[in-house]
Amino acid sequence: MKRASLWLAIAGTVAFLIAVGLTVIDIALRSVSTLTIHGLTDIVTLCTMIGAMLAIPYGFASDQHVSIDVFTIRMPPRWQKVLRIFAAMLGLVFLAGACWFAVQQMLTAYTYGDRSQSIGIPMVWYWLPLIAGIGLAALVNLWLAIREFTSMGRA
């Protein structure tokens, strides 16, 4: 799970690099001519959505998300495992709920035929990375909870 989420995060990083590259090219074009990249804002927004959302599962899988361990670090290892399981289950519930609501919003945008302002990218394409990212992050949390639970006997 960690390796798969790493590849997603790398794909997200590539999306960020595309956004940066296109922005730099647009600035350079504007500096020397009247040319510009049409729809740059729409494209950069989509790349940013892809980059940010595909990195979320890796943050959970590699235990790099924000946590406050001032109190838990002093607890016995068994209690720390219990709290990690609890945190993973809370993450699973929250992310699954957020994914469900995002799917509802995506379906609404699809029904209305919403498109981006500049070049008319269907808004569904903006929702798909969000749904994929938080849906996969929910699955990562399920994997973390199961992994911690099955290793409790060894702690």
Side-chain angles (χ1 to χ4, degrees), residues 22-76:
L22 289 174
T23 302
V24 169
I25 291 169
D26 188 63
I27 291 169
L29 284 172
R30 289 174 190 229
S31 298
V32 297
S33 70
T34 59
L35 298 175
T36 183
I37 297 176
H38 181 64
L40 180 66
T41 303
D42 291 353
I43 296 166
V44 167
T45 302
L46 181 58
C47 287
T48 302
M49 284 293 294
I50 292 168
M53 295 299 116
L54 293 186
I56 291 173
Y58 183 69
F60 283 103
S62 61
D63 199 25
Q64 296 299 312
H65 53 283
V66 176
S67 64
I68 302 171
D69 60 2
V70 174
F71 302 108
T72 59
I73 199 75
R74 296 184 178 125
M75 292 182 172

